[in-house]
């Protein structure tokens, strides 16, 4: 028997080993298949990414090419405009020089004429001419000279400088004087900043057109005109930009070398080790997952818990009742803060949990009345009054009875106000009469009802009904 037992145990052990081997083999196959699929997915993802990258690079190259073409066309346009501007400027300067030369020539000629006239006048005085005659002759000669100058200007077609040309000349004069360091000229801060802005605009145009030297010169003029301005611009050629980037790269490399030198003294991290733990094999088979309760089972369990609590304590409340009370309190808080819409939402949630909560319906009717929703106010007040009528007053003390009748009277009072707003005077009078019967002992409510009765009686609809009767 012992040998048979040993053979049986050996056979069971062999079967267990074979089963484990088959399990390992199946596990290896699954892992190999999983690894193969994962490798294929990665390769496909890499191919998609490479294709997307190629497409992106092609689109970027096409965009850069198009941008370069547009920029080259724009540069050509700017060069043409600058050339035209320079030509116009040179022509204006030539015209101004010609006008200045003509003006000097005319001044010289006028001086000669004046000297001739003075000599003639002196000769007349020597001959014994009177003072009055000399003054009249000099005045006539001066008028003739002015008329002659005006006629010459008209014949030559000389024109005065326009306002724009005068302003440009003034700007140039200011810039030149500031550049030379002179202070005799009258210059204010606004003019200096305007000159600097104009010079920077010209510098930007030159730089965009590819003239870096001219752009730098105009930028220097702008800095000289307004050295206190923070808008300082730097224009570089391609070689200068490359040299600057090289210097910055060298500086970054030096900083990285310094950082690496500081980190060289830091010890290396500790080596990781693999720890193997052997656990005893469990003898019980546990379920793969825990069973979850359905909604119906949860509802039944909660109802049973509430029933057991009610048996132990008749005044105990369930979770829905506690939550309904909390929602009603939140609605009361919102009403006191005059947030009527939030109060309506809170009362609605309370009524959804407890359909027989008459106080929540009555308070929601009051919120509807405040917002002008009179039809909803009538519906909620009617529902609250119907629920309050079902409450028996027998066996209650005077305080509880007065509280219950006051609640009913308030529902009728609110419904009566809504009926008045809706033009339903008959229904409003009926509500007022019913509320007056319930509120015999409540002086405050009686005063409100009397005021409502006067409002109903004074309405135009009641007057027309009386005339019709």
């Amino acid at each position: 028997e012992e040998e048979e037992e040993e053979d049986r145990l050996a056979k069971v052990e062999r079967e267990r080993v074979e089963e484990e081997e088959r399990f390992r083999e199946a596990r290896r196959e699954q892992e190999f298949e999983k690894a193969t699929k994962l490798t294929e997915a990665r390769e496909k993802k890499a191919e998609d990414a490479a294709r997307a990258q190629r497409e992106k690079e092609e689109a970027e190259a096409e965009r850069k090419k198009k941008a370069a073409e547009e920029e080259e066309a724009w540069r050509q346009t700017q060069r043409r405009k600058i050339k035209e501007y320079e030509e116009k400027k040179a022509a204006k300067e030539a015209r101004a020089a010609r006008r200045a030369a003509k003006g000097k020539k005319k001044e010289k000629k006028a001086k000669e004429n004046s000297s001739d006239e003075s000599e003639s006048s002196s000769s007349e005085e020597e001959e014994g001419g009177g003072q009055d005659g000399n003054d009249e002759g000099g005045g006539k000669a001066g008028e003739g000279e002015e008329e002659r100058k005006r006629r010459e200007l008209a014949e030559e077609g000389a024109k005065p400088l326009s306002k724009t040309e005068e302003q440009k000349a003034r700007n140039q004069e200011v810039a030149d004087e500031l550049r030379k360091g002179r202070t005799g000229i009258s210059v204010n801060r606004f003019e200096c900043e305007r000159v600097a802005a104009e010079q920077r605009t010209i510098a930007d145009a030159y730089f965009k057109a590819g003239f870096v030297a001219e752009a730098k010169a105009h930028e220097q003029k702008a800095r000289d005109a307004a050295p206190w301005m923070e808008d300082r611009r730097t224009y570089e050629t391609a070689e200068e930009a490359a040299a600057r980037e090289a210097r910055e790269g060298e500086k970054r490399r030096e900083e990285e070398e310094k950082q690496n030198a500081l980190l060289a003294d830091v010890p290396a991290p500790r080596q990781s080790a693999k720890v193997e733990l052997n656990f005893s094999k469990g003898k019980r088979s546990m379920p793969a997952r825990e069973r979850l309760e359905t909604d119906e089972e949860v509802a039944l369990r909660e109802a049973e818990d509430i029933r057991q609590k009610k048996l132990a304590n008749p005044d105990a409340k369930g979770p829905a009742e506690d939550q309904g009370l909390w929602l009603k309190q939140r609605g009361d808080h919102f009403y006191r803060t005059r947030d009527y819409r939030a109060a309506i939402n809170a009362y609605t949630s309370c009524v959804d949990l407890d359909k027989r909560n008459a106080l929540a319906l009555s308070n929601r009717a009051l919120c509807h009345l405040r917002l002008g929703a009179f039809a909803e106010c009538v519906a909620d007040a009617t529902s609250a009054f119907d629920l309050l009528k079902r409450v028996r007053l027998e066996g209650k003390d005077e305080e509880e009875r007065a509280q219950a009748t006051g609640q009913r009277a308030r529902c009728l009072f609110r419904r009566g106000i809504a009926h008045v707003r809706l033009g339903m005077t008959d229904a409003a009078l009926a509500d007022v009469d019913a509320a007056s019967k319930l509120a015999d002992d409540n002086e405050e409510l009686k005063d409100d009802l009397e005021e409502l009765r006067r409002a109903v009686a004074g309405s135009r609809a009641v007057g027309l009904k009386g005339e019709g009767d």
Side-chain angles (χ1 to χ4, degrees):
E1 291 177 359
E2 292 178 358
E3 291 177 357
E4 291 177 357
E5 183 66 18
E6 291 177 357
D7 294 339
R8 188 179 65 80
L9 292 175
K11 184 177 179 181
V12 171
E13 183 66 20
R14 286 194 302 273
E15 291 177 354
R16 187 184 66 80
V17 172
E18 292 175 358
E19 183 67 23
E20 290 180 354
E21 187 64 28
R22 286 196 299 272
F23 176 77
R24 292 195 187 95
E25 186 65 26
R27 185 66 178 270
R28 283 195 294 271
E29 291 178 358
Q30 291 177 0
E31 290 179 354
F32 179 75
E33 185 177 358
K34 184 178 179 180
T36 304
K37 291 182 179 179
L38 183 61
T39 303
E40 293 177 355
R42 287 178 178 174
E43 292 177 354
K44 185 177 179 181
K45 185 177 180 180
E47 291 177 358
D48 295 341
R51 183 170 61 256
Q53 183 66 23
R54 287 195 300 272
E55 294 176 355
K56 184 178 179 180
E57 290 176 356
E58 292 176 357
E60 183 68 18
E62 184 67 22
R63 186 188 65 79
K64 288 182 178 180
K65 182 179 178 181
K66 187 176 180 181
E69 293 176 354
E70 293 178 354
E71 184 176 1
E72 183 62 26
W74 185 83
R75 285 178 181 275
Q76 292 178 1
T77 304
Q78 291 296 323
R79 291 192 185 97
R80 187 179 67 255
K81 289 182 179 180
I82 291 173
K83 186 177 180 181
E84 294 175 355
Y85 170 76
E86 294 291 344
E87 291 177 354
K88 290 180 180 178
K89 185 177 179 181
K92 288 181 180 179
E93 291 177 354
R95 287 197 297 271
R98 287 196 298 271
R99 284 196 295 270
K102 290 179 181 179
K104 290 180 180 179
K105 186 176 180 181
K106 290 173 184 177
E107 289 178 359
K108 185 177 180 181
K109 191 174 181 181
K111 289 180 180 179
E112 293 175 357
N113 294 333
S114 62
S115 61
D116 295 339
E117 289 175 358
S118 62
E119 290 177 359
S120 62
S121 61
S122 61
S123 63
E124 289 177 358
E125 288 177 357
E126 290 175 357
E127 292 175 358
Q131 183 66 26
D132 294 337
N134 291 336
D135 294 340
E136 292 176 359
K140 291 180 181 179
E143 292 177 358
E145 182 65 23
E146 292 179 358
E147 183 65 24
R148 185 176 59 77
K149 289 181 180 180
R150 193 180 300 109
R151 187 170 56 257
E152 289 178 357
L153 288 173
E155 291 175 357
E156 294 175 359
K159 298 181 180 179
L161 293 175
S162 62
K163 292 184 178 180
T164 305
E165 294 174 349
E166 290 179 358
Q167 186 61 43
K168 288 184 178 180
R170 175 64 176 168
N171 294 344
Q172 186 65 32
E173 183 182 359
V174 170
D176 295 340
E177 293 295 332
L178 288 173
R179 186 72 178 275
K180 295 175 183 178
R182 297 178 183 175
T183 57
I185 188 169
S186 176
V187 181
N188 58 24
R189 189 182 184 91
F190 178 75
E191 288 181 348
C192 294
E193 292 180 354
R194 184 176 57 198
V195 171
E198 183 179 356
Q199 294 296 328
R200 285 196 171 92
T201 303
I202 297 172
D204 290 340
Y206 272 117
F207 181 72
K208 291 179 180 179
F211 301 102
V212 181
E214 289 79 359
K216 289 182 178 180
H218 284 282
E219 174 61 22
Q220 186 60 41
K221 290 181 181 180
R223 293 184 182 182
D224 294 338
W228 58 84
M229 293 183 66
E230 297 181 357
D231 185 14
R232 292 176 174 265
R233 305 174 187 178
T234 304
Y235 302 103
E236 298 177 341
T237 60
E239 294 78 8
E240 293 174 350
R244 179 179 54 79
E245 292 177 357
R247 289 193 300 272
E248 292 177 356
E250 185 65 26
K251 188 175 180 181
R252 284 196 299 269
R253 283 194 295 272
E254 290 178 357
E255 292 178 356
E256 290 177 358
E257 289 177 358
K258 291 180 181 179
Q259 189 69 19
N260 294 332
L262 292 175
L263 294 176
D265 299 334
V266 178
R270 290 176 294 180
Q271 298 294 329
S272 61
K274 184 177 181 182
V275 180
E276 295 184 359
L277 300 176
N278 296 323
F279 296 96
S280 58
K281 187 177 180 181
K283 295 183 179 180
R284 290 195 309 164
S285 60
M286 301 297 292
R289 64 183 63 181
E290 184 181 359
R291 182 179 176 275
L292 300 177
E293 291 181 327
T294 61
D295 295 339
E296 293 79 5
E297 291 174 349
V298 172
L300 292 174
R301 180 171 54 78
E302 291 180 353
E304 182 63 22
D305 293 342
I306 295 171
R307 191 178 68 81
Q308 294 296 333
K309 289 181 181 179
K310 293 281 187 181
L311 291 176
N313 183 11
D315 296 333
K317 296 181 179 181
E321 295 177 355
D322 292 338
Q323 190 175 3
L325 178 60
W326 180 80
L327 288 170
K328 181 185 175 300
Q329 292 175 354
R330 294 304 299 168
D332 296 342
H333 169 72
F334 288 134
Y335 176 79
R336 286 193 293 270
T337 57
R338 298 185 180 183
D339 192 355
Y340 301 121
R341 297 192 182 279
I344 288 173
N345 294 334
Y347 290 138
T348 302
S349 301
C350 178
V351 171
D352 292 340
L353 292 174
D354 186 6
K355 303 293 184 183
R356 297 176 297 175
N357 197 328
L359 297 179
L361 288 170
S362 178
N363 294 346
R364 190 171 70 175
L366 180 58
C367 293
H368 284 308
L369 185 62
R370 294 288 187 184
L371 293 175
F374 304 119
E376 290 80 358
C377 176
V378 170
D380 286 344
T382 303
S383 301
F385 183 73
D386 294 338
L387 290 173
L388 291 172
K389 283 196 304 183
R390 300 177 187 176
V391 179
R392 295 183 179 181
L393 302 179
E394 293 80 3
K396 294 188 176 182
D397 56 8
E398 293 297 330
E399 185 178 357
E400 292 179 350
R401 187 187 298 272
Q403 185 179 3
T405 54
Q407 291 173 356
R408 296 180 186 179
R410 287 189 185 88
C411 290
L412 294 173
F413 176 64
R414 291 163 185 172
R415 190 173 68 178
I417 295 175
H419 280 149
V420 171
R421 297 297 184 183
L422 293 172
M424 304 169 66
T425 56
D426 294 337
L429 289 173
D431 291 337
V432 170
D433 294 336
S436 300
K437 294 178 182 178
L438 293 173
D440 291 335
D441 299 334
N442 195 333
E443 296 297 334
E444 183 179 357
L445 190 57
K446 285 177 67 176
D447 295 339
D448 294 338
L449 291 172
E450 288 298 327
E451 185 178 356
L452 179 60
R453 189 188 297 277
R454 288 193 297 270
V456 172
S459 64
R460 189 167 180 270
V462 174
L464 293 174
K465 182 178 181 298
E467 292 178 3
D469 295 340

